[in-house]
């Protein structure tokens, strides 16, 4: 039997706001797990706007995502850094910080790392 499902980020099942109004995470839940759309506003930085929610020294989520718009830098705990922009597929293992570059919101779709991301403990 085939399955066909339609969900929309315009009507997410859950929205998690970031600290200081610097963005949000919208989630839809599919059979294989949650898919998230994060909107990171200019000035957003994980260590300032999600760390207080997560309660960890660095982001401990593993991400596989696609950058729709804006630019974001991901800096691993070991010092490696990489900038992502529109059209880039992003893979980041646990143990990183990240921040928006420029004056445009960065929008990322992620189908791996958002199950517990910015989820109050």
């Amino acid at each position: 039997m085939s399955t066909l499902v339609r969900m929309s980020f315009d009507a997410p099942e859950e929205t998690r706001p970031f600290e200081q109004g610097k963005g949000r995470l919208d989630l839809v839940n599919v059979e294989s797990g949650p898919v998230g759309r994060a909107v990171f506003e200019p000035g957003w930085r994980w260590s300032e706007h999600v760390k207080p929610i997560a309660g960890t020294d660095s982001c401990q989520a593993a991400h596989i995502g696609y950058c729709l718009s804006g630019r974001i830098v991901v800096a691993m705990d070991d010092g490696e850094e990489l900038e992502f922009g529109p059209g880039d597929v992003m893979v980041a293992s646990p143990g990183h910080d990240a921040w928006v570059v420029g004056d445009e919101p960065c929008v990322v779709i992620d189908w791996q790392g958002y199950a517990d991301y910015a989820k109050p403990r």
Side-chain angles (χ1 to χ4, degrees):
M1 177 168 54
S2 64
T3 301
L4 191 58
V5 176
R6 180 173 147 190
M7 304 177 99
S8 174
F9 286 119
D10 292 334
E13 294 174 284
E14 184 180 358
T15 296
R16 299 177 191 159
F18 302 144
E19 295 283 311
Q20 302 172 17
K22 286 294 185 180
R24 70 184 185 282
L25 172 62
D26 296 322
L27 289 169
V28 295
N29 292 296
V30 297
E31 189 174 321
S32 61
V35 178
R37 175 184 65 185
V39 178
F40 305 108
E41 296 293 339
W44 175 89
R45 187 177 185 110
W46 185 91
S47 55
E48 295 175 26
H49 303 105
V50 180
K51 180 179 179 176
I53 300 167
T56 56
D57 288 335
S58 60
C59 181
Q60 295 303 305
H63 300 285
I64 297 177
Y66 178 76
C67 185
L68 293 170
S69 62
R71 301 198 71 74
I72 192 167
V73 171
V74 178
M76 302 305 297
D77 290 349
D78 69 5
E80 182 182 5
E81 289 185 13
L82 197 54
E83 185 172 320
F84 300 91
D88 289 340
V89 171
M90 174 184 76
V91 177
S93 59
H96 58 270
D97 194 4
W99 57 89
V100 170
V101 175
D103 297 329
E104 179 184 356
C106 181
V107 179
V108 175
I109 304 293
D110 188 319
W111 49 92
Q112 178 178 334
Y114 285 162
D116 294 321
Y117 191 85
K119 187 174 188 176
R121 304 220 176 254

